Amino acid sequence: MKLRSVHWLAVAGIVSTLAACSREAPPAETATVPAVAETVAPAPAPPAPAPDVEWPKHGLNQAETRFSPLADINDGNVDKLGLAWYFDYPTARGLEATPLVIDGVIYTSGSWSMVYANNAVTGELLWFYDPQVPRNWAVHGCCDVVNRGVAYDQGRLFFGTYDGRLVSLNAADGSLRWEVQTTDKERPYTITGAPRIVKDKVIIGNGGGEFGVRGYVTAYALDDGAQAWRFYTVPGNPADGFESDAMKKAAETWGGGEWWVVGGGGTVWDSMAYDPELNLLYLGVGNGAPWNRQIRSPDGGDNLYLSSILALNPDDGSYVWHYQTTPGETWDYTATQHMILADLELDGKPRKVIMQAPKNGFFYVLDRATGELLSADAYATITWATHVDMETGRPVETEGARYEGKATGLHFPGPIGGHNWHPMSYNPDTGLVYIPAQDAPWVYATDENFRHRKGYWNTGTDNRPASLPDDPVEKQAVLDTVTGAIIAWDPVAQQPRWRVEHEGPWNGGILSTAGNLVFQGNSSGELVAYRADTGERLWVFDAQTGVVAPPVVFRQAGNQYLAVVAGWGGSLALVGGEALTAGPIPNRSRLLVFKLDGKAELPPAVDKRLVIDPPELTASAEQVMAGRKEYLTYCVYCHGDGAVSGGATPDLRALTPEKHAMWDAIVLGGMHWQNGMVGFGGELDKEQSDNIHYYVIERAHFSLAESAAEASGEAKEEGAGD
Ligand code: CA
């Protein structure tokens, strides 16, 4: 309740100022006033509004706590929270940004790396900036054309673009200051993460680990965008020499393959944090490229610095320490998840820690000065390891967890992780870290015919065993294991204190406040407030869309506001299909801003029901199965498992007769490249494209038959009940 006390101190300050004024009134006027007048209250003056409180940095502060000391909105009045205003974005793809709020302006970034500035109180659009990302670059990204936010410093904004640029704008009017290309355009690099600012530099990473890139971060001068340093996270071809000692040491942990051809991976695509006292910059490092270590580094090895937390000196980008969460990464177990710096008392001693819940399912607490492992405990369902050995600091893997030779069974966590990019929050009042967690398994298998497909997905996995089975009982058994939850994790006791279940995975980032509140949007289209100490559900708003981005709060002109970028998207919204157990989720792209007694209303939601009316299937079963293999290699990542869309891209089962007639022009020719659907004519031949078409038509017929069977089953059940 820090801010409550600040607030009352401010009020006390105002009162004493007024009293001082009355004492200093001109003597001529006070001469006839009796002495008691001094104790009479002065004429009621409007109370000065409480000071403005901004949200100036991505994680609120450099420790990235996402805990706001604001408590004007609290567990006693949150039921009065209402919509103050909303702003419709002109795009219909995923939104994941954390808004920044500075000097009465909300800065957000949206699909295709566009940046918006809105008046924080009225919602008026002040300016917007479109960096003109070429739409055909969408094929080079794993997880939707999203952007997680901008960085701000002294009137200047900084953000990354999907095609690998770092751009600086004047915050006042959105005019361009400078831009630099931070990536090699010959490689499928993308940027979706927010830059961070450390002293006079802006730090930016990149993505592309699924496709084939070598990860690195780069520091640029705030003033003119001049490059200050670059740190690679994985070694290149040893024959070319090494950029640093850190790379030389890392190369000793790779062997037998030509990882540099695909790239090696290790991208820093989201999380960073900075400790100014220790002068350490922390980076969360991603998965291997390809995922499959057997292909990437057939002699084995830890493959540093994949899946690691790295600490660098931000002045020159030199290595200080690392901790690797998943040695020999092979399951897309990134350690790019949100990292939080905090001071905890552990075993009676104060410790400066860094905390992370990476994809691999363990919650880590490290000493952030040295990288020493302090604790590691399962927060999600884990089948790949039994525990982390505290002596060695290494996970103890289970038999068969590596898919070398044969496919795994249902393996937890799958590639979307026990926790993905959705930010957590650390609340020092409750001592809890709130994790937007999930369980979603996967079946890992090696692609025996792997070849490097330049510019496309290169995971080295055969995705067929992971596709949901058609048999309704088998399918339901898998879907029953897919869940989402808020886990209120006590990092000192190393266990959850409370847990709230969701209908499905892929729920929003989290905010907590000194008002004893936790806010989160979810995949069921709600924005919800919970009590921070107990998880009790206190308030809900129908957002009409899935919400994945994290909310923020700020105070402007005396009112506290809650703001969130609402809109459905991101990797699971593309690939998820029926694994999105919260049901079909529409995307409506909006900035929603709330205050106590807000009275604005959203327009009624339009129901966009799918019309599935496929043409006759004329192909053989062999052609359909051949199409399935190609679909699961090229198409699944955007159009969903089983051709069931997650909501962010068109559902191919519902193609119109006109679209079916244009199949070749779209799939091979690239007719819809301006929507991000490039032509695959350079990679697929006509027969492969036809087979994919047959598979999509077969899936449409399958869905109709499945719905009919479900309807007749329900009718029978009703009949039985009569
Ligand atoms: Ca990945």
Side-chain angles (χ1 to χ4, degrees), residues 545-570:
T545 185
V547 180
V548 289
V552 304
V553 286
F554 60 95
R555 190 199 281 134
Q556 187 69 32
N559 288 312
Q560 184 186 334
Y561 294 85
L562 172 79
V564 67
V565 167
W568 185 236

Side-chain angles (χ1 to χ4, degrees), residues 210 269 287 291 332 334 359:
E210 275 58 60
W269 55 263
N287 56 276
W291 289 357
D332 189 20
T334 61
K359 277 190 188 177

